[in-house]
Amino acid sequence: MRKSLLALLSLILVFGILAACSNKDEKNQGDKDNGGATTIRVVMKDDNSSNPVSEKYYDAIEKGLLEDENIKVNFELVDLPQGNYSEKLNLLLNSGDIPDMIYFQGGDQAMADQGLLEDLRPYIKESKYLKDIIQPFNEKRLENYPYLLWVKPLAPKVPVIRADWFNQMETSKTLMENPTVDNYYAFFKELVEKQPGGDKPKYAITVAGDIAEIDYMFDMAFGINKTWLQKEDGSYEYARVSSQQKEKLEFYNKLYKEGLLDPQYLTKQWDTKEKAFFDGDAGIIPGTAGKVIDIYDGKMVQVSGEEASLVTLPPAKGEYQGFGATDVTKESRGIAISANSENKELVFKILDYMASPEGQMIDRFGFEGEHYNAVDGKLQLTDKYYSEWFSRFWEPADYTPVTPVDETTPLLSESAEKSLQSAVEFYEEDNSFIIPEEYVANWDAMQNLYLEFTTDIITGKRPISDFDKFVKEWNEAGGEQITKLANKNLR
């Protein structure tokens, strides 16, 4: 009896082990081959598993991949907690949870330095579609830093104003013909004093949290056309500690003191900045060229009518003119592939598919019946398309959809098209370089020092005469070493 019991227990144990192994194999097979589809884990800033639009969008890509490329995938969207995307993403990655496809908006370099991101250049070279749509600045960035890809048009921050207010102002024509700093000041002044919206706007321009967005408008006019400015003796100095920067900060302080710059700009986030614009509290808002300007235009027309469609304003003109120099050291944001993914080739095939005519149809136009309707062989875009849809992946500079867009509902509004044209017209390449790892901590401290000082100057907490003190502090915080490095790299 005892022997029979032991034999029975042994048999149960064997079956248990076999069952566990079988379940483990099934789980592994299920992870890899979910109903014949390979699971690809994706983390993207604006998509999550609880968003029905996100789920529908990735379902459409799954269907397209299967029908057009005979690729079976199952997307699993990785959710992040609310808050700063870059910070939350880094917490996820540092925990060891690294999805197959990752959208970065900062924080990627530490991962690349650890060898955790895949070099994309060999894949692009052998691609079917992507190799034909990347721009020269994308190529330069990939050569310098081959881990991120972001095929989008040049996208500086471009200022816009509603047309009904713009058309009421006496200084508008002069500004457009000759957008000097003085003429911009006069335009701002009239906008607030005349208040073409009745009792609005309350201030001329709003930005989100710091002066980066307004710098796009004014940097080059004040002579800041590169990150590193060449002095008369041929040496280079950092633009933010230059005399040109000092002169620009005096101008910003003037705008703030006279109530032309949003007095709450420091506490503004992107959503409250936009609310101030659509509510009419701010007359001008800088927005990312292209689709963001298009969304702004659509929302403003919805809120205030067709006469309030947006006018794109030019960059200020002075020593130079433009929306700032374009950094070609690396993509500041973009999509990466995990070097540890078991499905790297498949992930890239997905990225390549999104550059195909079929992939672009999904990515650029959204859902039929919601964002567009097919009428007489043409796509008619809806109000919902203009107010909410955006491309998650690629936006080639030269794009002709397979099905043409109806002329009455263009892909981009006039102001959005103008913003992209301005970006190309005023393109200038920067001379910045990737800061070596051993200097990154110092560089971050120096940037924080810069932000703190500029805030104090603009808001009047410190006099402009303290600029020399700031330069001294900046050099002591590591600026002197990095300036030497810059002169070594740039000569």
Side-chain angles (χ1 to χ4, degrees):
M1 180 72 179
R2 180 181 175 84
K3 287 183 180 180
S4 298
L5 182 61
L6 286 173
L8 180 61
L9 289 173
S10 298
L11 190 61
I12 292 172
L13 180 61
V14 168
F15 277 118
I17 292 171
L18 290 173
C21 291
S22 175
N23 288 338
K24 183 178 179 182
D25 289 342
E26 287 176 8
K27 181 180 184 302
N28 289 340
Q29 181 67 16
D31 288 342
K32 186 177 180 182
D33 194 9
N34 188 348
T38 303
T39 297
I40 300 298
R41 301 179 70 239
V42 178
V43 59
M44 295 283 270
K45 181 176 181 291
D46 296 303
D47 290 317
N48 59 72
S49 62
S50 61
N51 183 343
V53 175
S54 301
E55 288 290 320
K56 188 174 181 179
Y57 172 71
Y58 286 93
D59 285 347
I61 298 175
E62 288 175 8
K63 182 180 177 182
L65 283 164
L66 182 59
E67 292 179 352
D68 302 323
E69 301 289 336
N70 195 30
I71 294 174
K72 297 181 180 181
V73 300
N74 174 60
F75 289 109
E76 179 185 318
L77 294 178
V78 178
D79 295 337
L80 294 179
Q82 293 291 322
N84 182 283
Y85 176 78
S86 179
E87 291 177 2
K88 302 303 181 184
L89 176 61
N90 280 330
L91 286 174
L92 174 77
L93 301 179
N94 288 328
S95 73
D97 185 359
I98 304 178
D100 302 285
M101 184 192 300
I102 311 161
Y103 169 78
F104 281 100
Q105 195 167 301
D108 52 278
Q109 193 165 339
M111 304 300 293
D113 290 343
Q114 297 174 60
L116 297 175
L117 302 182
E118 189 77 355
D119 184 337
L120 300 176
R121 290 173 296 182
Y123 297 89
I124 292 170
K125 186 177 180 181
E126 299 300 322
S127 64
K128 288 166 54 176
Y129 306 105
L130 271 168
K131 64 185 177 186
D132 295 326
I133 68 168
I134 60 174
Q135 296 295 299
F137 58 87
N138 295 131
E139 292 176 353
K140 289 185 178 181
R141 288 170 177 171
L142 282 165
E143 283 306 309
N144 292 326
Y145 186 86
Y147 311 107
L148 286 188
L149 185 62
W150 197 236
V151 185
K152 300 277 185 175
L154 289 170
K157 300 286 186 177
V158 175
V160 290
I161 183 173
R162 47 190 292 176
D164 53 347
W165 291 4
F166 177 84
N167 292 332
Q168 294 181 53
M169 295 170 59
E170 296 176 3
T171 54
S172 297
K173 185 173 184 292
T174 302
L175 177 72
M176 299 303 279
E177 291 176 349
N178 189 26
T180 64
V181 172
D182 288 342
N183 286 341
Y184 250 113
Y185 171 73
F187 183 76
F188 286 174
K189 196 82 172 170
E190 184 191 359
L191 188 55
V192 172
E193 291 178 351
K194 186 172 184 176
Q195 290 190 309
D199 60 347
K200 293 182 177 182
K202 297 177 181 177
Y203 36 85
I205 187 167
T206 187
V207 292
D210 58 40
I211 61 172
E213 292 179 319
I214 199 171
D215 278 346
Y216 280 98
M217 296 172 63
F218 291 106
D219 260 353
M220 292 185 72
F222 282 93
I224 303 172
N225 69 324
K226 305 279 187 186
T227 296
W228 296 92
L229 303 180
Q230 192 167 26
K231 299 191 292 185
E232 290 183 3
D233 64 0
S235 65
Y236 291 87
E237 69 174 342
Y238 185 53
R240 301 308 180 199
V241 296
S242 65
S243 59
Q244 293 93 324
Q245 174 75 2
K246 181 179 179 181
E247 184 183 0
K248 186 190 70 178
L249 289 178
E250 285 187 276
F251 175 66
Y252 288 175
N253 171 250
K254 181 181 179 181
L255 297 180
Y256 183 86
K257 190 164 51 177
E258 297 184 16
L260 305 180
L261 173 62
D262 180 358
Q264 277 83 47
Y265 84 91
L266 281 171
T267 58
K268 285 284 196 293
Q269 302 292 326
W270 67 268
D271 54 343
T272 51
K273 175 192 79 168
E274 291 175 0
K275 184 177 187 302
F277 182 59
F278 295 121
D279 288 350
D281 292 335
I284 299 166
I285 187 175
T288 305
K291 188 58 187 177
V292 171
I293 296 295
D294 194 55
I295 291 173
Y296 286 176
D297 188 84
K299 285 185 178 178
M300 185 59 81
V301 167
Q302 280 186 338
V303 171
S304 303
E306 289 289 341
E307 67 279 2
S309 60
L310 301 183
V311 174
T312 302
L313 300 177
K317 183 171 69 173
E319 187 173 345
Y320 306 99
Q321 186 182 15
F323 291 112
T326 299
D327 184 0
V328 294
T329 56
K330 66 186 290 292
E331 300 290 353
S332 60
R333 64 177 67 191
I335 295 174
I337 299 175
S338 166
N340 293 332
S341 171
E342 295 180 357
N343 304 299
K344 290 179 286 192
E345 291 79 8
L346 178 55
V347 174
F348 187 81
K349 285 182 180 179
I350 295 167
L351 299 183
D352 198 29
Y353 173 73
M354 298 313 295
S356 72
E358 297 80 11
Q360 282 288 287
M361 188 67 197
I362 300 168
D363 200 31
R364 298 291 284 269
F365 294 104
F367 313 132
E368 185 172 4
E370 292 184 51
H371 302 106
Y372 70 92
N373 294 299
V375 180
D376 297 328
K378 292 186 177 181
L379 303 181
Q380 288 186 353
L381 308 181
T382 67
D383 290 341
K384 194 172 183 181
Y385 170 84
Y386 289 114
S387 64
E388 74 174 30
W389 190 256
F390 63 96
S391 170
R392 270 77 166 171
F393 288 87
W394 321 128
E395 293 180 78
D398 298 317
Y399 174 60
T400 303
V402 175
T403 304
V405 178
D406 194 296
E407 296 82 0
T408 62
T409 60
L411 190 59
L412 290 175
S413 63
E414 185 178 347
S415 57
E417 283 285 3
K418 176 64 176 173
S419 69
L420 291 176
Q421 291 166 10
S422 295
V424 174
E425 177 186 354
F426 293 107
Y427 174 78
E428 182 164 343
E429 192 173 300
D430 201 2
N431 61 359
S432 56
F433 56 91
I434 295 176
I435 302 299
E437 181 65 30
E438 62 266 29
Y439 294 105
V440 168
N442 283 352
W443 182 253
D444 289 343
M446 290 152 57
Q447 295 307 304
N448 289 333
L449 181 65
Y450 162 75
L451 291 173
E452 180 183 350
F453 175 79
T454 53
T455 298
D456 288 347
I457 290 294
I458 293 167
T459 58
K461 292 180 181 178
R462 293 178 68 173
I464 194 65
S465 58
D466 276 0
F467 190 80
D468 291 342
K469 293 180 182 177
F470 156 67
V471 174
K472 185 174 183 293
E473 291 177 34
W474 187 86
N475 280 320
E476 290 173 350
E480 188 173 346
Q481 287 178 302
I482 293 181
T483 300
K484 287 180 180 177
L485 183 64
N487 278 276
K488 182 180 178 181
N489 285 347
L490 298 174
R491 285 186 170 182

